[in-house]
Amino acid sequence: MASILRQHPRKIAAGGVLVAFLASPYAPSLFRTTGVSNIEDRWAAGGGGRNHTPGAGTKLGARHEVTGNQLETKGMGSPHHQEKIGEQKPEGSKFDKAWNKSMYGAEKGK
């Protein structure tokens, strides 16, 4: 080992500098090619994030906006759900209403 250090000190120093440069945040990424960048842009424009799949949908076509749309929810309990979706359930029979009333305390069910 000592003989290698004595025979090739410049090569070892150059290798150390190269490793330090590649480990630094200023080095260009070998995996961030033009193709990868294009795929990330299309994925983000379709509602995904650049480096992850978001748990909630994002605005379609807005590739730089990767926050979810959870500020205005449209799920159960929201006014949108009550107006548009909530009453689409068909009316049950007398037996269904009696069953729901006895089991859940309301004629509509849960």
Side-chain angles (χ1 to χ4, degrees):
M1 181 71 177
S3 64
I4 293 174
L5 290 175
R6 282 189 214 121
Q7 291 176 358
H8 306 287
R10 288 187 204 145
K11 292 178 183 176
I12 293 173
V17 169
L18 179 64
V19 168
F21 175 72
L22 291 178
S24 73
Y26 302 110
S29 175
L30 300 175
F31 302 107
R32 181 93 176 177
T33 62
T34 307
V36 170
S37 178
N38 289 339
I39 290 170
E40 285 178 352
D41 287 344
R42 292 296 90 216
W43 180 256
R50 293 191 177 283
N51 56 2
H52 67 286
T53 303
T58 57
K59 193 174 182 182
L60 186 62
R63 64 184 194 189
H64 298 294
E65 184 179 330
V66 293
T67 57
N69 58 357
Q70 296 299 310
L71 297 177
E72 300 172 17
T73 59
K74 295 183 178 180
M76 293 181 69
S78 68
H80 178 270
H81 187 271
Q82 292 297 329
E83 294 170 10
K84 311 265 186 200
I85 301 168
E87 296 300 325
Q88 291 182 9
K89 191 174 179 181
E91 285 291 321
S93 65
K94 289 183 180 180
F95 174 77
D96 291 336
K97 288 181 181 179
W99 175 266
N100 289 337
K101 181 77 173 171
S102 66
M103 289 298 177
Y104 306 121
E107 289 184 357
K108 287 187 173 182
K110 290 185 180 179

